[in-house]
Amino acid sequence: FMKIMYVTSECAPFIKTGGLGDVAGSLPQALAAKGHDVRVFCPLYSAIDQSMREKFYYIKNAYVRLGWRNQYCGIFRYEADGVTYYFIDNEYYFARGQIYGEYDDAERFAYYSKAVLEVLPDLDWKPDVINCNDWQTALVPVYYNLMFASRPFYENIKTVFTIHNIQYQGRYGREILEYVLGIDDAHFRSGFMAMDGDVNLMKAAIVASTAITTVSPTYANEIQTEYYGYRLDSVLRMNSYKLHGILNGIDTEVYDPWRDKGLTKFFSARQMAGKKNCKAALQQMSGLRENPDAPIIACVSRLVRHKGFDLVTAAIHEIMGMDV
């Protein structure tokens, strides 16, 4: 059995903006149920509900060097469903109005990526595998290779980088490399940290990590093409030998219609009657005709191009001509 360190910028039920939060909330539990020692790392955002924060146990604090800065790092611990959660506390970086979209996101997530590696000896725990997710944690395999791999405690740790969304890559100007990230400009000149004249954190993680995974076999193929690759397709093709598409699952307990309190009536594969009530309630709430025979077409998604909404807008008039 493996010791797995799962590094994420969001995690349900503590804090979530999308699919990454869902996966971080359910995949570690599924791995733990198979007998692995799984520990999830997440920033301690001020947006995490106070009722949850009260259950976190303070372990200790340390200091993390980032470029010329020496920043405070508090470590909190929480256990649930066989998984150990560690929260990285720094109010300057994480007590903000939002999780993403701040002017200094590069610095915030560089600090976090450095901190999760720095604190491991304090936790007296050495993982076999570090699984990082999307651009916010892309610097973990980069920092590991450049600054940690040769230290005795850190030897022989494997890194996996998971791409949930290739459109957001962590692209910044070259000037942040030394000043903000604390990485020598030689790594830009060599091409390792560079893409199209910018620093590109996701590109660096693809090159630096032992393996790359993504959310389905189809997506793994798509992102190696020009249309879906958002300029990283050539890098992924060069690294295709370590790219694996693993289909995302869902938490069948959280999303069980027989127990879901968000529904007007419960239903299951064996007892489908309640589904009609749910459909009628949805039609009422949405101001639609209450017609049990009209199919409802729905999509839960962010309204962005790579989700395929250009296909929806092209077909919407034809679709609306049908009895749906």
Side-chain angles (χ1 to χ4, degrees):
F1 292 107
M2 287 191 292
K3 290 186 280 187
I4 302 167
M5 175 179 179
Y6 195 87
V7 186
T8 179
S9 57
E10 57 181 79
C11 180
F14 310 103
I15 190 98
K16 177 181 118 169
T17 68
L20 170 58
D22 279 326
V23 175
S26 56
L27 177 60
Q29 290 177 13
L31 291 168
K34 289 186 179 294
H36 301 293
D37 178 358
V38 189
R39 311 207 181 179
V40 177
F41 288 71
C42 185
L44 185 61
Y45 300 105
S46 57
I48 295 175
D49 198 81
Q50 190 57 39
S51 63
M52 286 181 171
R53 291 166 69 109
E54 283 165 4
K55 297 174 186 167
F56 299 168
Y57 169 73
Y58 170 78
I59 299 177
K60 65 186 299 185
N61 64 284
Y63 280 85
V64 173
R65 286 197 67 79
L66 185 68
W68 51 270
R69 304 163 204 76
N70 207 22
Q71 299 286 33
Y72 168 86
C73 172
I75 312 162
F76 286 79
R77 178 182 172 126
Y78 178 71
E79 288 180 39
D81 300 309
V83 177
T84 302
Y85 297 87
Y86 292 108
F87 293 90
I88 300 296
D89 177 37
N90 178 300
E91 294 207 332
Y92 171 66
Y93 289 129
F94 302 129
R96 305 283 182 95
Q98 54 191 0
I99 306 183
Y100 312 127
E102 297 285 330
Y103 76 95
D104 58 346
D105 275 1
E107 184 180 331
R108 294 170 67 222
F109 291 108
Y111 159 80
Y112 172 56
S113 299
K114 188 92 182 286
V116 296
L117 289 166
E118 209 76 77
V119 301
L120 285 176
D122 292 317
L123 306 177
D124 198 27
W125 182 74
K126 179 182 174 177
D128 300 311
V129 179
I130 303 175
N131 189 174
C132 316
N133 295 272
D134 276 351
W135 79 263
Q136 292 89 348
T137 58
L139 280 166
V140 175
V142 174
Y143 283 143
Y144 175 75
N145 286 13
L146 295 180
M147 301 170 189
F148 292 87
S150 58
R151 297 190 205 171
F153 174 86
Y154 292 91
E155 286 172 342
N156 303 317
I157 297 173
K158 302 286 188 273
T159 53
V160 175
F161 181 63
T162 301
I163 301 170
H164 298 263
N165 189 334
I166 200 164
Q167 193 171 7
Y168 307 108
Q169 299 173 1
R171 285 183 63 166
Y172 294 98
R174 181 177 183 171
E175 67 280 358
I176 77 155
L177 198 59
E178 291 188 331
Y179 181 74
V180 175
L181 308 185
I183 294 172
D184 195 299
D185 188 69
H187 296 295
F188 189 92
R189 296 195 297 274
S190 72
F192 169 43
M193 299 293 301
M195 185 80 196
D196 296 334
D198 291 331
V199 168
N200 187 312
L201 304 186
M202 185 176 279
K203 184 253 177 151
I206 291 167
V207 175
S209 55
T210 316
I212 310 151
T213 63
T214 188
V215 295
S216 73
T218 308
Y219 196 56
N221 291 327
E222 285 178 348
I223 58 178
Q224 294 181 69
T225 67
E226 196 176 332
Y227 183 77
Y228 291 104
Y230 287 88
R231 304 283 301 138
L232 287 181
D233 49 291
S234 60
V235 180
L236 285 161
R237 287 195 300 273
M238 283 168 65
N239 289 276
S240 62
Y241 67 94
K242 60 179 179 180
L243 173 61
H244 310 272
I246 302 170
L247 190 63
N248 262 0
I250 66 164
D251 189 319
T252 51
E253 298 213 350
V254 173
Y255 295 101
D256 180 359
W258 193 243
R259 294 195 193 95
D260 191 337
K261 293 185 175 68
L263 299 176
T264 50
K265 278 278 196 304
F266 298 149
F267 64 92
S268 72
R270 289 201 182 124
Q271 291 181 278
M272 293 286 281
K275 196 170 181 185
K276 289 193 177 82
N277 295 75
C278 293
K279 181 172 179 176
L282 180 61
Q283 287 171 326
Q284 263 179 354
M285 289 159 66
S286 308
L288 299 168
R289 279 183 302 119
E290 274 185 67
N291 177 356
D293 299 318
I296 291 175
I297 301 172
C299 181
V300 180
S301 178
R302 278 172 294 126
L303 297 172
V304 288
R305 180 176 147 240
H306 73 268
K307 296 289 188 183
F309 283 100
D310 51 338
L311 305 174
V312 178
T313 51
I316 193 79
H317 292 295
E318 200 178 332
I319 292 168
M320 296 315 295
M322 303 171 186
D323 189 19
V324 299

